[in-house]
Amino acid sequence: MSVTQFCSVVLTVILVCAMLTGSQIPSIQEGQSECPILAEHAREIEKYKPIARKIIDFFLSGDMKGRTYKNLNNFVDNYGPRMLGSSGLRRAVTHVYRGLKRHNFSNVRMEPVNIPVWVRGTESATLLKPRLQRLSMVGLGDSVGTPDGPIRAETIVVRSFKELEALGDKASGKIVVFNQEFISYDESVSYRLNGAIAAAKAGGVAALIRSVTNHSLLTPHTGLMYYQKGVPKIPGACLATEHADLLHRLYQRGEGTPPTSLHHSLASPHHSCGLIVHDELSAGKKLVIQLQMGAHTIQNKTSNNVVADLPGTSLSDKVVLISAHIDSWDIGQGAVDDGGGLMIAWGALVGLKRLGLRPRRTLR
Amino acid sequence: MSVTQFCSVVLTVILVCAMLTGSQIPSIQEGQSECPILAEHAREIEKYKPIARKIIDFFLSGDMKGRTYKNLNNFVDNYGPRMLGSSGLRRAVTHVYRGLKRHNFSNVRMEPVNIPVWVRGTESATLLKPRLQRLSMVGLGDSVGTPDGPIRAETIVVRSFKELEALGDKASGKIVVFNQEFISYDESVSYRLNGAIAAAKAGGVAALIRSVTNHSLLTPHTGLMYYQKGVPKIPGACLATEHADLLHRLYQRGEGTPPTSLHHSLASPHHSCGLIVHDELSAGKKLVIQLQMGAHTIQNKTSNNVVADLPGTSLSDKVVLISAHIDSWDIGQGAVDDGGGLMIAWGALVGLKRLGLRPRRTLR
């Protein structure tokens, strides 16, 4: 589904919600496969079919065709990354505010919000032993840094939380690398979110997590991470999948076990039989990584929500909220997260206004 | 074809060449589709069928199964990038030398070679106007640097050499970005090789070239570049494709022309019709890029070729050369370029030796 198609679908759903009569909309139960819409609502929704058609046509083949995508492209090109506290975000917020003003929406306003701002600072991770290799890494949002200077520590590599637990106190004082299998974002992201907690509980001094992705060109992915009350806050960062695999192989060879990732591709058992086998190059060798992160958090900074209304008619005190976040991570442009959402929400309001449609409830 | 399969094929071809009787092997004419082998050779080759089978089996299902891949993996894991002049290369060269010695090949020797060593140094490219954006770049091999401090210059973006020529002296004093279409590596690499020459001829102060690839995750690709006698040497670097596209869009909007890359995806013409169109944000705005490159070349450094022989029998003074380069670029591990070639050549020699096969001609 293209951004434009998605926009028209979202808009249609929103409009139907905003137009419905005042009765309560039943909540959808998890796992419920039947459509939970009451018969009276179904009849009412049916009446909006021509309007829904009009909206869809307006976005798919009318004046709005390709607009949302084009606006999104312009937006991210012009403002780029929009980290909390960045000039890019400030400029983007002002832009959204002015745009809504220019389109004569009601109650266009900035809502100041007090936020903690996480600052990445400079950062690097370098494999020092068994050989020198600058690692492709990126710090995780909300991570603490290494304010007392780089952490230089022996490193262990595990495939899972379970494997870490099984090591007992072997992780104590060490950097813990999680080279977890990628199952799905929802499942595997748990390592990014909770890796630093698990590593700290095991006595680790930092957590390096395989990027939560199944596709990489030495590309580390960032995202949020968590801390837990009572557990020491240790730095957390993601590694490109290739480097997580590299560390895992070197670690396993150092421990005298054949690399599992190679096992997958080789049917024959591990034996040297007089050939050129270099495993002895790594045998017994420890991994040492140096981690430097300038990450820190500044409290009590101010940013702004931007709010605008398309006032409802008979039920204008009831509000249907269309929302998206303007800010983004710093290492991309936030085109999908959440520039697309922002432009869809914006396009929905503008599209309705241009079609001269006004719902019963206020769209905010 | 796997590395192992390829290895067995290469080895078989090499062996057949090395075993043939002394008569001249006819050269293959370009575009000739018929096999140019003489009838007498064909008969002779036929006799080697059982030996060829033995070699293939040895690599595909015998003791060499998976060896070449495993050795390659160990090699790149243990030595990593092997730039000319790097400790990784020195260690790798020593490793290859010792390995050949250990396998008792004849005349195992290092041949000192005098080489110029290109050093990357620190490098960065930053878009300063119309907004701040660190660009994903990598300097090109043999490029000069910016020894007098960063170059800060207005920037133009072109799609082709032809487009640059058509601009007349508009490129004078500017940074030239080539955002060429990716057709194929062989065709498109011409921009990386000759971009700095073309830009300098047009009066440009630096050349930034779209990475020669059709796949990128903000990943810039390096490689060699050329200079031409009588044409000023200006710095050359590659940009990630995404950033080459970004610069192109910003440049085209600045020039008041709609971005061509967007044109492809939008059927509707460029018109604002009262919607949120941000093109005016970029209109008339110039691009300014700051380029810093510590690249320089050190003459008269020494590296070593590693040579070993598997002596021939009746035609031992004739030599069939199996060759691969040990060095690699610095930003990868040179697994394909040319670790694979090295391990195939090595595996071929070891495989023959282990099978007790000795060709008429010397394999070097």
Side-chain angles (χ1 to χ4, degrees):
Chain A
M1 185 149 49
S2 74
V3 172
T4 297
Q5 285 172 316
F6 187 66
C7 185
S8 69
V9 169
V10 167
L11 181 53
T12 307
V13 170
I14 288 166
L15 188 69
V16 166
C17 287
M19 293 247 179
L20 281 177
T21 47
S23 58
Q24 208 62 32
I25 298 172
S27 64
I28 298 172
Q29 301 297 316
E30 210 181 328
Q32 195 173 338
S33 62
E34 288 281 300
C35 176
I37 291 175
L38 298 177
E40 58 171 312
H41 287 144
R43 277 192 300 276
E44 201 183 341
I45 288 171
E46 188 68 19
K47 288 195 295 179
Y48 288 106
K49 237 184 180 169
I51 291 180
R53 188 71 257 162
K54 197 173 163 187
I55 295 171
I56 291 170
D57 289 345
F58 191 51
F59 276 85
L60 292 189
S61 52
D63 269 2
M64 288 298 281
K65 181 179 173 176
R67 278 294 132 195
T68 310
Y69 181 80
K70 187 174 159 62
N71 287 335
L72 173 59
N73 177 263
N74 275 278
F75 182 75
V76 295
D77 280 358
N78 283 310
Y79 299 109
R82 305 172 299 282
M83 264 303 250
L84 280 180
S86 69
S87 68
L89 178 59
R90 277 192 297 277
R91 291 171 59 231
V93 163
T94 305
H95 170 79
V96 173
Y97 173 78
R98 287 192 183 147
L100 290 167
K101 273 276 191 199
R102 201 170 58 231
H103 282 84
N104 292 317
F105 285 101
S106 302
N107 303 320
V108 179
R109 58 202 184 276
M110 299 253 216
E111 284 179 356
V113 273
N114 185 295
I115 45 162
V117 167
W118 181 77
V119 180
R120 177 179 303 287
T122 63
E123 54 185 17
S124 66
T126 308
L127 179 67
L128 299 178
K129 291 180 182 179
R131 69 170 174 88
L132 202 65
Q133 173 74 51
R134 177 82 174 237
L135 298 171
S136 182
M137 66 79 84
V138 66
L140 294 177
D142 287 351
S143 175
V144 296
T146 56
D148 302 327
I151 292 172
R152 184 184 289 207
E154 198 185 315
T155 300
I156 62 166
V157 187
V158 294
R159 182 69 82 188
S160 64
F161 291 130
K162 216 171 153 182
E163 205 178 306
L164 177 62
E165 275 165 33
L167 290 180
D169 60 0
K170 206 185 159 186
S172 184
K174 297 188 180 131
I175 292 173
V176 178
V177 174
F178 290 98
N179 188 30
Q180 77 282 351
E181 196 184 348
F182 180 76
I183 297 163
S184 67
Y185 184 81
D186 283 350
E187 193 158 335
S188 307
V189 76
S190 167
Y191 283 88
R192 196 192 72 210
L193 294 171
N194 303 304
I197 298 170
K201 280 181 177 169
V205 294
L208 298 176
I209 293 112
R210 179 192 181 94
S211 288
V212 184
T213 177
N214 58 357
H215 191 63
S216 172
L217 287 171
L218 267 185
T219 334
H221 290 212
T222 191
L224 273 183
M225 62 170 281
Y226 298 151
Y227 288 119
Q228 192 176 296
K229 254 192 180 164
V231 179
K233 290 185 174 184
I234 61 172
C238 265
L239 293 172
T241 61
E242 294 92 334
H243 279 165
D245 280 337
L246 169 68
L247 294 176
H248 207 166
R249 290 193 301 270
L250 290 174
Y251 177 72
Q252 288 179 312
R253 290 193 194 110
E255 296 287 297
T257 52
T260 40
S261 59
L262 273 179
H263 248 349
H264 294 153
S265 61
L266 289 183
S268 62
H270 180 73
H271 62 119
S272 94
C273 65
L275 287 174
I276 331 150
V277 169
H278 311 280
D279 274 10
E280 68 267 23
L281 288 172
S282 318
K285 289 190 182 164
K286 301 290 182 196
L287 266 62
V288 176
I289 286 176
Q290 177 166 305
L291 179 71
Q292 182 275 323
M293 286 173 64
H296 60 283
T297 301
I298 305 170
Q299 299 296 336
N300 296 319
K301 299 288 280 186
T302 303
S303 186
N304 288 281
N305 293 325
V306 184
V307 191
D309 291 352
L310 186 66
T313 52
S314 59
L315 296 163
S316 67
D317 59 327
K318 297 205 183 289
V319 171
V320 174
L321 198 66
I322 322 177
S323 172
H325 61 88
I326 305 178
D327 68 316
S328 79
W329 287 104
D330 51 346
I331 58 171
Q333 298 203 95
V336 169
D337 180 13
D338 189 21
L342 175 65
M343 287 302 143
I344 286 169
W346 193 339
L349 284 182
V350 171
L352 279 190
K353 210 175 165 63
R354 294 197 65 227
L355 282 170
L357 294 169
R358 216 174 133 196
R360 286 206 184 92
R361 290 170 186 77
T362 294
L363 287 187
R364 178 161 295 160
Chain B
M1 184 148 53
S2 74
V3 171
T4 297
Q5 285 172 316
F6 187 66
C7 185
S8 69
V9 169
V10 167
L11 181 53
T12 307
V13 170
I14 288 165
L15 188 69
V16 166
C17 287
M19 293 249 180
L20 282 177
T21 46
S23 57
Q24 209 61 32
I25 297 171
S27 64
I28 297 172
Q29 301 297 317
E30 211 181 327
Q32 196 174 338
S33 62
E34 288 281 299
C35 177
I37 291 175
L38 299 177
E40 59 171 312
H41 287 144
R43 276 191 302 277
E44 201 183 341
I45 288 171
E46 188 68 19
K47 288 195 295 179
Y48 288 106
K49 236 183 179 169
I51 292 179
R53 188 70 259 163
K54 198 173 163 187
I55 295 171
I56 291 169
D57 289 346
F58 191 52
F59 276 84
L60 292 189
S61 53
D63 268 3
M64 288 298 282
K65 181 179 173 177
R67 278 293 132 196
T68 310
Y69 181 80
K70 187 173 159 62
N71 287 335
L72 172 60
N73 176 264
N74 275 278
F75 182 75
V76 295
D77 280 358
N78 283 310
Y79 300 109
R82 304 172 299 283
M83 263 305 248
L84 280 181
S86 70
S87 69
L89 178 59
R90 278 191 297 276
R91 290 172 59 231
V93 163
T94 306
H95 170 79
V96 173
Y97 173 78
R98 287 192 183 147
L100 290 167
K101 274 276 192 200
R102 201 169 59 231
H103 281 84
N104 292 317
F105 285 101
S106 302
N107 303 320
V108 179
R109 59 201 183 276
M110 299 254 216
E111 284 180 355
V113 273
N114 185 294
I115 45 162
V117 167
W118 181 77
V119 179
R120 178 179 303 287
T122 63
E123 54 184 17
S124 66
T126 309
L127 179 68
L128 299 178
K129 291 180 182 180
R131 69 170 174 88
L132 202 65
Q133 173 73 51
R134 177 81 173 237
L135 298 171
S136 182
M137 66 79 84
V138 66
L140 294 177
D142 286 350
S143 176
V144 297
T146 56
D148 302 328
I151 293 172
R152 184 184 289 207
E154 198 185 314
T155 299
I156 62 166
V157 186
V158 295
R159 182 69 83 188
S160 63
F161 290 130
K162 216 171 153 182
E163 206 178 305
L164 177 63
E165 275 165 33
L167 289 179
D169 60 0
K170 206 185 158 186
S172 185
K174 297 188 180 131
I175 291 173
V176 178
V177 174
F178 290 98
N179 188 29
Q180 77 282 351
E181 196 184 348
F182 180 76
I183 297 163
S184 67
Y185 184 81
D186 282 350
E187 194 158 334
S188 307
V189 76
S190 167
Y191 283 88
R192 196 192 73 211
L193 294 171
N194 304 304
I197 298 170
K201 279 181 178 169
V205 294
L208 298 176
I209 293 112
R210 179 192 181 93
S211 289
V212 184
T213 177
N214 57 358
H215 190 63
S216 172
L217 287 170
L218 266 185
T219 333
H221 290 211
T222 191
L224 273 183
M225 61 170 281
Y226 298 152
Y227 288 119
Q228 192 175 296
K229 255 193 180 162
V231 179
K233 290 185 175 186
I234 61 172
C238 265
L239 293 172
T241 61
E242 294 92 335
H243 279 164
D245 280 337
L246 169 68
L247 294 176
H248 207 167
R249 290 193 301 269
L250 291 174
Y251 176 72
Q252 288 179 313
R253 290 193 195 110
E255 296 287 297
T257 52
T260 41
S261 59
L262 273 178
H263 248 351
H264 295 154
S265 60
L266 289 182
S268 62
H270 179 73
H271 62 119
S272 94
C273 65
L275 286 174
I276 331 149
V277 169
H278 310 281
D279 274 10
E280 68 268 23
L281 288 172
S282 318
K285 289 191 183 165
K286 301 290 182 195
L287 267 61
V288 176
I289 286 177
Q290 177 166 305
L291 179 71
Q292 182 274 323
M293 286 173 64
H296 60 283
T297 301
I298 305 169
Q299 299 296 336
N300 295 320
K301 299 289 280 187
T302 303
S303 186
N304 287 282
N305 293 326
V306 184
V307 191
D309 291 352
L310 186 66
T313 52
S314 58
L315 296 163
S316 66
D317 59 327
K318 297 205 184 289
V319 171
V320 174
L321 198 67
I322 322 177
S323 172
H325 62 88
I326 305 177
D327 67 317
S328 80
W329 287 105
D330 51 346
I331 58 171
Q333 298 204 95
V336 168
D337 180 13
D338 189 21
L342 175 65
M343 287 302 144
I344 286 170
W346 193 339
L349 285 182
V350 170
L352 279 190
K353 210 174 164 64
R354 294 198 64 227
L355 283 170
L357 294 169
R358 215 173 135 197
R360 286 207 183 92
R361 290 170 187 75
T362 294
L363 287 187
R364 177 161 295 161

